Amino acid sequence: MEKLEDLKIVAEQWWNQGIEYLQKIPPNQLYAAIGVLLFTTVLLLLSFRLVRRTKSNTVLLSGLTGSGKTVLFYQLRDGSSHQGTVTSMEPNEGTFIFHTENSKKGKIKPVHLVDVPGHSRLRPKLEEFLPQAAAIVFVVDALEFLPNCRAASEYLYDILTNANVVKKKIPVLLCCNKTDKLTAHTKEFIRKQMEKEIEKLRASRSAVSTADIANDFTIGIEGEVFSFSHCGNKVTVAEASGLNGETVQIQDFIREYIKP
Amino acid sequence: MLEQLLIFTRGGLILWTCKELGNALKGSPIDTLIRSCLLEERSGEVSFNYEAYTLKWTFHNDLGLVFVAVYQRILHLLYVDDLLNMVKESFSEVYDPKRMSYDDFEETFRQLRKEAEARGEELRKSKQVGKGLGSVKKQGQVAKSGLDGGSKQSNGESGGGSKKDDGDGDKGKVGSLMMMMTNGNHANDSDKTDDFVNGKENTTDNVVVDPSKLLKLRSKGVRGRGGVRKIDSIGNKSSKVTAVEPPKKATKKNRVWDDAAPKQVKLDFTDSVGENGNGNEEHVDIVAADQGESMMDKEEVFSSDGESEGDDDDDDEARSDEKPEAKKKGWFSSVFQSITGKANLERTDLEPALKALKERLMTKNVAEEIAEKLCESVEASLEGKKLASFTRISSTVQGAMEEALIRILTPRRSIDIMRDVHAAKEQRRPYVVVFVGVNGVGKSTNLAKVAYWLQQHKVSVMMAACDTFRSGAVEQLRTHARRLQIPIFEKGYEKDPAVVAKEAIQEATRNGSDVVLVDTAGRMQDNEPLMRALSKLINLNKPDLVLFVGEALVGNDAVDQLSKFNQKLSDLSNTGTTRLIDGILLTKFDTIDDKVGAALSMVYISGAPVMFVGCGQSYTDLKKLNVKAIVKTLLK
């Protein structure tokens, strides 16, 4: 009990000494010191918040209906497409590390993969996910390419001219799926065909010089034939086979932008 | 016997198929079911026919699962609905989102199937005991019942009977307009209403075009058409009779009022003019119509402020709607539930909200049957779902309805006409558009607007005056052509429109026009000879786009118009491709303030996208359909 009281007395003495010291300082300096302190704390908090906005790890799997997105989704996640798929009515979302990376040691950053349905009635769903996308994989059916070429290129054109994609320069991978089949087209062929179709679309859609209500931006360079290298964001081409599980190129692309 | 039973997620992954019934299905019935029924917001219907199969389905909305049973169409399996429900219940106990394979469910399924089959047998036996009337007649109906051909009336009659059988599965849905095999079944099994239903079946025509039939027709040309012919001839005897009649009375007779000798001279005021319409009329001021940009190219500016206000208003309304309902359940418990959000949505919960929504849609001029079907579809997709916390039932229902509406109004295929025109140009042939519709909807006016828009995009247009019936139609088009300075092909009045169109297309190919716009006479959908003439025009000329012009003021008749047009076009088409309506042009949009429901009815019933919207009477008043704005207006 005595010790407590002693401590109390000592604390009081220190307190009085502190107040005396403070009172010696002219008030202006005091206010200035407090102001600087507050300012630095606020700055620190803000900078923390900025740094904390980590890069999004969302990757979108898009493409026409029947191109194999859901199969690829399950291949990337589980290494097999289980018992098959039907036309998706809703998006498939998952945050995971790739099945092939399961064996790697250490903490790998998981990828938030979203498989957006390709059916034209569900097209508005894609726009919901575009703002958060860090990369887009556009899946094309290499087997039934020519009948769907026009629809696929229109879809790709809509993606490439979307405001989010242009402003944030979201990279796009044109993935040719079903390459395990004999009559599947090569990725070079597909790339050239898509470029040709997009060129035609560019001509027909930007026929009106002023307001183009269909698309937010136009792509390509005026006067030159469209090529994917003209896009502000990076567009690359790769091959894959959903049924066989050959998804290496897709995984490399994704990991390029979402560091493990 | 059952061909296959599948369980898959709404995201598309198949979770389980019955290995016992390992038959591979011909074609892709599941994908077709999803694309043409479930995504078309027709999930409220009883079943779906695809080639030789019939498919039935049920949802587990909470877990996001779909259960589909496929069986041969000619069989009448009574136990399927029962089986689906049992499978749903037992599978939802086993289901785990992380598990991908459910091999042990095979055993459970086998037992369930035996149970369901046994129950079905019992039901059938008990029915057979009670039967007194014509078993012979029943056999005849068994053959017939596999075919379509019912109507709302007969469904209404047999609805009383249907409530008796398959009671647990079917829930007595009377509203379905497709005369499916199961409904035919009900007609068979209910002995009291047998004769009555028979009589009704024979005298009524199809009211609504069965979308599966539409699909069949689109994909299978001759066979589909042959099938349809047979169905019509067996199911609707009276229409067969009427089909024989029209050739006799193909020409309209002038009405004779007095005993005076009728004038036999045909009034044909066709000027003897050249093909390009520069006749012997006085010089009309040819003012090249340049009234600025067509509204097709202008951006739609719609205020987002209106949106928040709309939500507030609508919250208040909904709250006042809900209060009388909530009193039944107990105010406190419902508020508690809406906060914790644990309640599973039941049909009884959804009904008041859906009813209110249906009323609201109908006040916005949506056709009654369409509103009904939509509500059923939304109900099917919400039943059993868990309410999210802090949401009311009405807002969940509203959200689901909004999604459904956006889905319906989003076009299924690209409506980029410019692209199609360019494609046709590459093939060195003109792009032909035919405008069809009933009387007085604005075909000629909107044709001129479309011509103006195309011209602004530097496409060379040619008009073809195939309305050879209405006095002044040719002159009207001639005036438009003069103002827009585009060539017009006309042959005057009382000529065969199909032939005029053909010659117009040949002329266009010769002088290198990119687009040919063909104007036809207005005709009522019930008028057999006129519809025949229209089919002839379409079959002969194979246009690239058949545009149905409909006015936004139309109410419930929109459903009838579109379905009859489609039906006649498919019935009367000849070999090869059956052309149906490819697009809709909605006119007089400026006259309706917010009663925009006609757009929804037309798109739902025909599946064709709205390509243009006419919103005024001058050349620039043509715009594209803004899906989000329409949905917002419909649900306001």
Side-chain angles (χ1 to χ4, degrees), chain B residues 508-524:
Chain B
T509 334
R510 256 199 305 263
N511 68 15
S513 296
D514 298 327
V515 180
V516 179
L517 300 175
V518 178
D519 187 22
T520 60
R523 61 203 74 214
M524 287 305 287

Side-chain angles (χ1 to χ4, degrees), chain B residues 59-328:
Chain B
F59 299 108
H60 193 294
N61 292 311
D62 199 24
L63 303 172
L65 299 174
V66 187
F67 301 81
V68 178
V70 188
Y71 54 97
Q72 295 282 355
R73 208 207 286 206
I74 48 177
L75 300 176
H76 304 246
L77 300 180
L78 304 169
Y79 61 85
V80 179
D81 289 313
D82 215 10
L83 179 62
L84 276 174
N85 282 328
M86 291 197 295
V87 169
K88 177 163 81 167
E89 278 161 28
S90 53
F91 192 79
S92 36
E93 288 158 21
V94 187
Y95 178 66
D96 172 15
K98 303 227 182 332
R99 241 178 95 184
M100 291 293 129
S101 65
Y102 295 85
D103 296 323
D104 45 348
F105 193 71
E106 192 76 36
E107 197 42 59
T108 336
F109 175 68
R110 215 173 291 156
Q111 288 169 356
L112 286 174
R113 199 167 138 211
K114 282 200 195 110
E115 236 182 85
E117 275 174 14
R119 219 181 287 181
E121 274 303 314
E122 271 178 45
L123 259 165
R124 197 185 309 183
K125 280 191 191 136
S126 67
K127 287 277 164 301
Q128 278 179 351
V129 168
K131 265 198 216 314
L133 288 179
S135 52
V136 178
K137 216 181 257 178
K138 201 171 66 157
Q139 276 171 15
Q141 284 171 35
V142 165
K144 217 188 340 172
S145 65
L147 313 168
D148 299 330
S151 79
K152 233 164 135 183
Q153 282 174 330
S154 70
N155 283 352
E157 255 63 67
S158 64
S162 77
K163 285 201 177 101
K164 285 187 270 170
D165 344 308
D166 288 4
D168 26 352
D170 236 351
K171 308 200 207 250
K173 266 207 183 9
V174 176
S176 77
L177 293 167
M178 291 204 289
M179 185 68 164
M180 283 300 143
M181 179 191 79
T182 51
N183 275 346
N185 229 358
H186 300 157
N188 291 343
D189 292 341
S190 55
D191 40 3
K192 291 185 199 135
T193 53
D194 249 353
D195 294 332
F196 195 33
V197 169
N198 236 345
K200 281 279 181 241
E201 264 185 66
N202 285 341
T203 52
T204 50
D205 297 327
N206 280 335
V207 176
V208 167
V209 174
D210 173 357
S212 68
K213 209 163 84 173
L214 249 184
L215 246 192
K216 227 186 356 176
L217 297 168
R218 278 182 207 267
S219 59
K220 287 204 289 151
V222 181
R223 210 169 98 186
R225 187 199 129 251
V228 169
R229 267 284 169 82
K230 247 196 289 183
I231 288 164
D232 275 347
S233 60
I234 295 177
N236 303 320
K237 296 206 179 95
S238 67
S239 67
K240 192 173 166 194
V241 169
T242 54
V244 173
E245 278 189 25
K248 287 188 207 157
K249 42 170 185 174
T251 54
K252 242 163 92 162
K253 294 243 161 39
N254 275 335
R255 213 180 266 267
V256 177
W257 291 107
D258 320 313
D259 288 327
K263 266 205 210 147
Q264 295 294 344
V265 179
K266 275 196 180 148
L267 299 170
D268 184 357
F269 289 117
T270 311
D271 291 326
S272 51
V273 293
E275 285 180 355
N276 278 342
N278 288 324
N280 51 355
E281 290 159 356
E282 304 94 45
H283 178 73
V284 175
D285 274 327
I286 303 172
V287 179
D290 188 10
Q291 303 180 353
E293 260 178 46
S294 175
M295 277 172 75
M296 282 285 281
D297 307 321
K298 291 214 184 95
E299 259 198 60
E300 272 273 4
V301 178
F302 53 98
S303 59
S304 53
D305 296 327
E307 213 179 303
S308 51
E309 285 167 36
D311 282 340
D312 288 332
D313 283 351
D314 142 88
D315 275 3
D316 290 332
E317 265 181 41
R319 214 172 282 143
S320 60
D321 267 352
E322 241 201 337
K323 276 222 172 109
E325 272 30 88
K327 272 185 196 148
K328 292 179 197 164

Side-chain angles (χ1 to χ4, degrees), chain A residues 33-63:
Chain A
I34 294 175
V36 166
L37 207 65
L38 279 172
F39 183 64
T40 42
T41 41
V42 165
L43 251 182
L44 273 173
L45 281 173
L46 272 178
S47 63
F48 271 139
R49 203 182 294 172
L50 278 171
V51 166
R52 217 195 310 148
R53 192 193 297 165
T54 51
K55 273 184 74 180
S56 149
N57 63 345
T58 308
V59 178
L60 296 187
L61 271 179
S62 62

Side-chain angles (χ1 to χ4, degrees), chain B residues 327-339:
Chain B
K327 272 185 196 148
K328 292 179 197 164
K329 250 174 101 178
W331 176 79
F332 185 70
S333 66
S334 64
V335 167
F336 187 65
Q337 270 180 355
S338 77
I339 294 179

Side-chain angles (χ1 to χ4, degrees), chain A residues 101-118:
Chain A
E101 293 175 345
N102 267 337
S103 48
K104 287 196 195 145
K105 299 231 171 54
K107 193 165 181 291
I108 308 177
K109 190 168 168 189
V111 176
H112 181 222
L113 197 59
V114 181
D115 158 32
V116 181

